[in-house]
Amino acid sequence: MKKFFSRVSIGLFPGYFSFVMATGIVSIAAFQQQQMAKTAIALFSINKIAYVILIVLTAIRFVLFPKKVFIDMITATPAPALFTITAGTCILGSQYIVLSGDFRAGYAFWVVGLFFWIVLIYAFFTAIIVTNNKSSHEEELNGGWLIYVVGTQAVAILSILLAPFMARHKDIFLFFAASMHAAGSALYFIIIVLIVRRMMFLDLPPEKLTPRYWINMGAAAISTLAGAELILHADDWNFLREVLPALKWITLMFWALTTGWIPLVFLLNTWRYGYKHFPLTYDVQYWSMVFPLGMYAACSFQLGKAMEQTVLIHISQYFIYLALITWIVTFIGMLSGFVRKSIYKIYK
């Protein structure tokens, strides 16, 4: 048994919590549509099981291979993928509050998510700054680095959702949420400038144009959702009422950026798979494509409520179907991949 868990945990891709992220936000977006409540609950159940499995495997991996986990935390390629544990934890906590009203579970996930946020973000940025060999960093830069924005905004959103349950500490939670939203927004613009430079001025062959570039859109979408949630809670804190015009403008800007990324990433993927004939086989990174689609549906719905724009709600109603179809196709691909690997190991 120890040998089995050792083999599974050592081969665990650090970014598999992107499955929890994608499933969680598609579930929340489906729950926003009244006719999809049962679908949302089913995805919630799947997500709870997936999170337990992944957190157990990650813990085993840490116990058995602490040095490898530490290297993942500070190395340019796996570190952003590992940070999906922060976003996945907070999005699952948001599910508990939105779908079942369980703020105690939401608070527990908030504590765990904040712990991962502090440890992982400072470990990576400290290591990346003090390292001497930086020549390869620009080549390794991709949309996956924006997971640090996604995780930061996920902490902000969960903080907002917890605020009404915090009684005397409600203002503190909203202040913290607004601060995290501001930090995540600033971080988005810092990183996206570097990514766009890498996309436009350095060679980007098909094998480098991974689904992680969808996070360019996903990070802007979750920033939109965090801003929309703050707008909807403006009556709960005087400061939010004072900055409401600016908050609305910034949130609308993020939604416009998100919308602008959609045609570009579709065209780039058409170029990759259609023109360059890159093999279309399951990769865990495809969950990085499902997540932005679900997030766009969720953020459009909440922004439509916040700004009283029904057109955004209608957009959300269409995009949730696209997100669900993409989730189902990717999930089938994941299961078939597991089956093929199992058969290969049996007959090897």
Side-chain angles (χ1 to χ4, degrees):
M1 183 64 70
K2 181 179 178 181
K3 185 177 180 181
F4 169 78
F5 279 113
S6 175
R7 180 182 298 178
V8 172
S9 60
I10 189 62
L12 183 69
F13 179 65
Y16 239 115
F17 279 90
S18 58
F19 172 79
V20 177
M21 292 166 51
T23 305
I25 197 57
V26 172
S27 173
I28 290 172
F31 192 76
Q32 292 171 342
Q33 319 297 330
Q34 293 180 356
Q35 72 276 19
M36 294 187 179
K38 291 183 179 179
T39 301
I41 297 299
L43 291 172
F44 186 26
S45 300
I46 292 172
N47 219 23
K48 287 187 282 188
I49 295 170
Y51 185 85
V52 171
I53 292 172
L54 288 173
I55 206 72
V56 168
L57 291 176
T58 302
I60 293 172
R61 189 166 183 261
F62 178 76
V63 171
L64 297 180
F65 310 102
K67 185 177 179 180
K68 182 166 180 55
V69 174
F70 179 73
I71 292 173
D72 286 347
M73 289 170 58
I74 62 173
T75 306
T77 299
L82 185 62
F83 200 70
T84 58
I85 191 172
T86 302
T89 298
C90 291
I91 290 173
L92 182 57
S94 297
Q95 275 186 283
Y96 270 99
I97 296 175
V98 173
L99 274 70
S100 63
D102 189 348
F103 75 92
R104 290 182 176 84
Y107 180 76
F109 280 99
W110 180 81
V111 171
V112 174
L114 186 58
F115 169 78
F116 284 131
W117 185 90
I118 294 170
V119 171
L120 296 178
I121 202 167
Y122 282 105
F124 174 68
F125 282 107
T126 300
I128 213 77
I129 290 170
V130 301
T131 185
N132 292 324
N133 183 19
K134 300 184 181 182
S135 59
S136 64
H137 287 177
E138 195 166 34
E139 285 291 334
E140 295 173 349
L141 182 67
N142 57 59
W145 284 45
L146 287 167
I147 285 292
Y148 290 104
V149 175
V150 174
T152 303
Q153 299 290 17
V155 173
I157 291 168
L158 184 51
S159 302
I160 298 166
L161 295 176
L162 283 170
F165 301 99
M166 293 296 108
R168 292 175 298 175
H169 303 296
K170 180 172 62 176
D171 287 1
I172 296 175
F173 268 76
L174 288 174
F175 171 77
F176 179 74
S179 300
M180 292 294 280
H181 172 56
S185 301
L187 192 60
Y188 178 84
F189 289 110
I190 292 170
I191 296 177
I192 200 64
V193 168
L194 300 175
I195 291 173
V196 170
R197 181 185 181 278
R198 192 260 182 273
M199 293 175 70
M200 296 185 69
F201 299 109
L202 296 178
D203 290 341
L204 196 62
E207 60 272 16
K208 291 285 187 178
L209 192 63
T210 66
R212 292 180 182 179
Y213 282 99
W214 279 81
I215 305 175
N216 295 6
M217 167 192 167
I222 196 172
S223 299
T224 303
L225 181 59
E229 292 289 354
L230 285 171
I231 294 169
L232 290 169
H233 287 77
D235 290 338
D236 296 334
W237 187 30
N238 289 334
F239 176 76
L240 288 179
R241 287 197 295 271
E242 293 173 3
V243 299
L244 196 55
L247 182 59
K248 286 183 176 181
W249 189 90
I250 292 169
T251 305
L252 180 61
M253 178 189 64
F254 271 116
W255 184 85
L257 281 171
T258 306
T259 306
W261 274 113
I262 295 173
L264 181 57
V265 292
F266 269 108
L267 287 170
L268 290 174
N269 277 268
T270 301
W271 174 82
R272 187 188 198 217
Y273 298 110
Y275 182 71
K276 289 295 186 178
H277 306 291
F278 193 83
L280 185 59
T281 56
Y282 171 76
D283 189 315
V284 64
Q285 295 183 60
Y286 284 127
W287 292 111
S288 299
M289 180 176 66
V290 179
F291 170 77
L293 295 174
M295 185 57 73
Y296 187 69
C299 77
S300 296
F301 187 91
Q302 290 299 86
L303 186 59
K305 284 174 57 181
M307 294 191 171
E308 299 179 350
Q309 292 291 326
T310 56
V311 64
L312 296 180
I313 295 176
H314 291 321
I315 290 173
S316 170
Q317 290 169 343
Y318 287 110
F319 257 85
I320 184 57
Y321 289 107
L322 179 59
L324 277 170
I325 291 170
T326 309
W327 186 93
I328 292 168
V329 171
T330 308
F331 187 72
I332 292 171
M334 182 178 71
L335 293 181
S336 63
F338 288 156
V339 171
R340 284 197 301 270
K341 286 182 180 179
S342 300
I343 294 174
Y344 175 77
K345 288 178 181 178
I346 291 172
Y347 289 99
K348 186 179 179 181

